[in-house]
Amino acid sequence: MARYNIFNQVHKGLRALLYETMIQLQQTDFTNVEETEDVTERIEIILSLFDSHAHTEDQFVLPAIVQYEPSVVDAFEQEHVKDLQLSQQLSDQLKALSLSVSTEAKIQMGAALCTAMLNFMLFNLSHMKKEEEVLNKLLWRYYSDDELKGVTQSIVAQIAPQKMSLYSKWMMRGLNNTEIINWLKEVKDNAPDFVFESLMEIASAELSEHRWQLVQEDLTEGAMLA
């Protein structure tokens, strides 16, 4: 039986955010104000969500392992330092682009932003892969699935509602139908009605018409069987 993967849902959402943003960035004409504003706003969301994600790992995940595997925790903490450096470089490049005036400068700074974003993306894709391959095995060794779900609940409880909506939006875009259905069912069974209704609104907005229909049909069938 598959063990509970504490990283799966959020990492799929963050990867979807990275993938879609990189495509948008490659297609952006940096001499066009509206296109530039759209993509810089998306990158600011990336910086916010990845920073929050790193803090929750430092606060909730790594402390659960440090007493058993301190050297592993130290290695991941060092990676978070590197991630912070890349985030700062990306933020600095956003500022440089915003200060660009001439067409030539905008194009040049736009290209530099693409490079900074690519460096950030490549590092974080590798980092998340390591977390799923290394940290999951340790978490499974020392904790039960129920205990790990409790960690997830603690993490979710301390995320501000507005930021949680952003995470939820990108998780909807990154998860498959079965994962979304299981997520919605769990929220429906364990959270207040307004939380479930809010999540259903996000699903309706972010999923294609076909996928949204399949999700609704499965939820309705489950309710009828119950």
Side-chain angles (χ1 to χ4, degrees):
M1 182 177 177
R3 293 293 308 271
Y4 175 67
N5 183 343
I6 198 171
F7 299 108
N8 182 67
Q9 192 161 314
V10 66
H11 279 187
K12 279 197 168 187
L14 292 174
R15 282 195 289 264
L17 176 56
L18 290 174
Y19 300 152
E20 290 194 26
T21 302
M22 199 66 222
I23 291 294
Q24 182 183 356
L25 192 57
Q26 290 180 169
Q27 296 173 346
T28 296
D29 175 3
F30 291 99
T31 64
N32 182 294
V33 174
E34 184 176 350
E35 288 186 22
T36 301
E37 288 178 349
D38 285 346
V39 81
T40 54
E41 181 181 343
R42 177 71 69 80
I43 293 173
E44 286 168 355
I45 290 173
I46 284 177
L47 290 171
S48 174
L49 294 189
F50 272 85
D51 179 66
S52 175
H53 180 57
H55 280 301
T56 59
E57 288 178 345
D58 287 339
Q59 185 179 355
F60 293 96
V61 179
L62 296 183
I65 299 172
V66 68
Q67 62 179 315
Y68 305 109
E69 307 284 349
S71 61
V72 173
V73 169
D74 181 66
F76 276 92
E77 287 177 341
Q78 291 305 310
E79 289 216 355
H80 283 174
V81 172
K82 174 65 174 177
D83 191 29
L84 185 60
Q85 294 171 345
L86 291 170
S87 296
Q88 188 59 55
Q89 291 171 12
L90 189 54
S91 180
D92 290 345
Q93 203 56 56
L94 281 176
K95 184 176 181 179
L97 177 62
S98 71
L99 296 174
S100 300
V101 177
S102 69
T103 297
E104 182 179 355
K106 290 178 181 179
I107 293 172
Q108 183 179 356
M109 290 301 100
L113 179 63
C114 288
T115 299
M117 182 64 224
L118 183 59
N119 290 336
F120 180 89
M121 182 179 77
L122 290 174
F123 175 84
N124 274 285
L125 290 176
S126 175
H127 179 68
M128 288 189 285
K129 181 173 181 288
K130 288 179 184 178
E131 289 178 332
E132 292 173 4
E133 292 178 347
V134 177
L135 296 186
N136 261 336
K137 290 179 181 178
L138 297 177
L139 291 168
W140 293 336
R141 181 184 301 170
Y142 299 114
Y143 296 93
S144 68
D145 283 358
D146 285 343
E147 288 172 324
L148 295 178
K149 289 178 182 179
V151 174
T152 296
Q153 291 169 1
S154 297
I155 291 172
V156 170
Q158 54 85 46
I159 298 175
Q162 185 176 6
K163 184 164 285 187
M164 192 65 232
S165 293
L166 278 174
Y167 276 119
S168 297
K169 169 182 176 176
W170 287 100
M171 289 189 289
M172 284 294 177
R173 292 193 183 191
L175 296 171
N176 63 44
N177 289 354
T178 299
E179 290 168 333
I180 291 171
I181 289 165
N182 290 338
W183 178 20
L184 289 168
K185 286 179 177 178
E186 185 170 353
V187 171
K188 182 178 176 62
D189 291 341
N190 297 289
D193 289 344
F194 76 88
V195 176
F196 174 72
E197 291 165 2
S198 174
L199 205 54
M200 289 288 282
E201 289 179 5
I202 293 173
S204 174
E206 299 304 328
L207 299 178
S208 67
E209 183 176 349
H210 176 64
R211 293 187 68 195
W212 175 229
Q213 182 178 348
L214 291 176
V215 168
Q216 289 183 94
E217 287 175 355
D218 192 286
L219 290 174
T220 301
E221 180 181 352
M224 293 176 64
L225 291 174

